[in-house]
Amino acid sequence: MPAGPARPELTPDNAPFWDAAREGRLALARCGACGRFVHPPAPVCPLCHTTGVEWVDVEPVGTVDSFTVNHQPMRPGLEVPYAIVLVEPDGAPGVRLTLRLDGDPATAAIGRRVRIGFEVVDDDWMQPVAEALDEVVARHHTEPGRFTFEPRRRIAKPEDGALISGVARSAVGKVLRRSGLDLAVEASLGAIRDAGLEPGDIDGIATYPGGGVGPPGYAGPGTDELAVALGLELGWQRGGAQGAGQLQPVIDAVHAVAGGLCRHALVYRASTESTATALLREGVVAPPPAQPVGGPFGWLVPFDAMSPANWLAPYATAHMHRFGTTREQLGAVAITDRAHAALAPWAVATEPLTMEAYLSARPISTPLHLFDCDVPVDGAVAIVVSAVDTLDDLRAAPVRFEAVGAGVGFPPSWDQWPDLTTMAAHGAAATMWARTELTPSDLDVAQVYDGFTFLALYWLEALGVCGHGEAGPFVEGGRRIALGGELPANTSGGQLSGGRLHAWGLLEEACRQLRGEADGRQVDGAEVAVVTAGGGPIAGSLLLTR
């Protein structure tokens, strides 16, 4: 890691911002036609679609919309703890700048007035930093009025033409020291056998995010690599990181099968993040060389907001500030997941978790502490998505697709989302419910994304299981989301205790529940399950039935 802050990748679109910073000025892009500020800067106004923007100096004062205090030494020479604040400049309504707060992190507060100064990084580089002022003011709230759950008349849709015919999981654990290809092969062959098929029957393949994407261990093998290993003859394939998060390849496979591009699509997710981290620590492999940071992360990482915990924790802070959500309520999610993990043979964290231990765990990025964060593991999960007219050829009881959700609702962004008490999850859920006559009251089991505890709360609200701002009381004590409760959730431990398989462990568990195969943790009579993935600007959901 570099000794100083990471540099952004300079482009013709963002260079004027950084040129102004080197001169100690805060300059933002603004549409010359309608006056809307365009941030991150782009060559077109998203409101009136006028091309070309003008750069204007903005008074360097503003107000904190939300914040987090980071406790992790993300790079050499940076003292911890330090606060990361989301600042709305006075002269640029609707724009947020993610900045590090200079000085005492205890001064960070929603509504804190700040001055935006400029720190010298080296001889040719300066960048903005927030400096706390004494005043704290009330902040307005933006209501998420675009998200609704109104059922629509059932229509013919691709989901009706596809089903999950097979599912399997590889070995899952910490530091397995196996390759991603090895794990993907194990899961894939298991899913093919589970469907009663042979590898020669597979004529489609898909994965998330595709080979070579992300940090070491994150991506797993690409579709070409796995197809060659299994000797597949393909009529369709896809891989990529954009779309409805980790569930996008499933949604794509549904469309491919229903549209006749293939008959049986192998869809998988593999990760060796745990082994990759161990090898880096042992010096067996070298860290990737430092590179300028591009895209949306160029507005986060240079300001020492370097991890998903830093990007997402301000959402939790905002929810707590607005609705009174408590750490004890977040703890109920972690404790319930841990109790469910004890019933899953492959789960990586099964020792009972008490509220005292949860509350006293070391801080990561406030309000998130150790047990608010999921556990990186090595492992793979695969499913086979088959055409409905192949049902007579299949071995296992099918799991049917009732509806998929891939909508966002607003332009996706980590820090420009209009209301920090909602996420893209709300858009994905709304588009899912619009494709079915079922409603949230029909759910028997929920496998909700829990990369962090509070993401489970956001998903429960997004799904309409409870009202906006009501997820804290809903999960309090854990009774409603426990086995035997009103809506059992994350019945194999989720990612917090089962291990981080990027929603694919949740997908496998949903299939097991609907097939009546969740030994020791089976929800009686489970007929409708939901699976969700993603946080912040990334979201996807599946409504599954037996």
Side-chain angles (χ1 to χ4, degrees), residues 70-97:
N70 179 64
H71 291 259
Q72 301 305 298
M74 306 298 288
R75 61 175 175 85
L78 181 61
E79 294 184 4
V80 295
Y82 62 91
I84 299 164
V85 291
L86 275 56
V87 177
E88 181 176 342
D90 288 357
V95 168
R96 291 197 196 96
L97 300 175

Side-chain angles (χ1 to χ4, degrees), residues 336-344 346 444-448 450 481-484 487-494 505-506 508-513 518-523:
T336 304
D337 270 16
R338 183 64 62 87
H340 292 166
L343 304 174
W346 61 88
D444 297 310
V445 61
Q447 308 296 338
V448 291
D450 58 346
I481 57 173
L483 289 167
L487 182 62
N490 297 358
T491 48
S492 61
L506 303 176
E508 187 216 4
E509 177 67 8
C511 293
R512 300 295 179 201
Q513 288 286 345
D519 295 340
R521 59 188 189 282
Q522 181 66 48
V523 175

Side-chain angles (χ1 to χ4, degrees), residues 262-310:
C262 58
R263 301 280 283 164
H264 300 287
L266 174 66
V267 193
Y268 67 96
R269 173 79 175 102
S271 173
T272 55
E273 288 182 296
S274 182
T275 287
T277 299
L279 295 178
L280 283 170
R281 288 174 176 168
E282 295 165 5
V284 176
V285 297
Q291 298 287 340
V293 183
F297 302 108
W299 300 99
L300 300 169
V301 175
F303 303 100
D304 293 316
M306 302 177 71
S307 76
N310 299 154

Side-chain angles (χ1 to χ4, degrees), residues 45-274:
C45 173
L47 183 63
C48 70
H49 303 112
T50 299
T51 56
V53 295
E54 59 184 13
W55 284 85
V56 297
D57 285 359
V58 175
E59 186 181 4
V61 291
T63 306
V64 173
D65 271 353
S66 194
F67 69 95
T68 182
V69 177
N70 179 64
H71 291 259
Q72 301 305 298
M74 306 298 288
R75 61 175 175 85
L78 181 61
E79 294 184 4
V80 295
Y82 62 91
I84 299 164
V85 291
L86 275 56
V87 177
E88 181 176 342
D90 288 357
V95 168
R96 291 197 196 96
L97 300 175
T98 296
L99 303 172
R100 183 167 49 80
L101 183 68
D102 193 27
D104 185 359
T107 60
I110 291 177
R112 171 71 67 188
R113 298 283 291 159
V114 297
R115 180 172 298 281
I116 301 171
F118 297 87
E119 64 177 0
V120 176
V121 177
D122 55 38
D123 291 342
D124 69 342
W125 194 258
M126 293 176 65
Q127 65 183 44
V129 62
E131 302 165 354
L133 301 176
D134 292 338
E135 185 182 9
V136 177
V137 299
R139 296 301 287 152
H140 63 82
H141 298 298
T142 301
E143 294 297 334
R146 198 184 298 190
F147 303 117
T148 63
F149 303 106
E150 181 181 355
R152 299 180 183 175
R153 178 180 60 85
R154 175 123 183 191
I155 58 175
K157 55 187 190 295
E159 293 95 320
D160 298 329
L163 51 81
I164 298 176
S165 58
V167 60
R169 163 187 44 81
S170 73
V172 174
K174 295 182 179 180
V175 196
L176 296 181
R177 299 183 188 273
R178 294 171 58 183
S179 71
L181 179 61
D182 186 15
L183 295 169
V185 165
E186 180 184 349
S188 297
L189 290 176
I192 294 168
R193 287 193 298 268
D194 185 57
L197 301 172
E198 298 293 333
D201 297 314
I202 300 298
D203 56 352
I205 191 170
T207 191
Y208 174 94
V213 176
Y218 177 76
T223 55
D224 290 346
E225 190 177 2
L226 184 59
V228 168
L230 296 179
L232 304 182
E233 297 183 8
L234 301 174
W236 172 81
Q237 62 179 322
R238 69 86 59 196
Q242 295 179 319
Q246 298 89 334
L247 296 179
Q248 185 63 50
V250 180
I251 297 172
D252 288 345
V254 168
H255 283 81
V257 165
L261 293 174
C262 58
R263 301 280 283 164
H264 300 287
L266 174 66
V267 193
Y268 67 96
R269 173 79 175 102
S271 173
T272 55
E273 288 182 296
S274 182

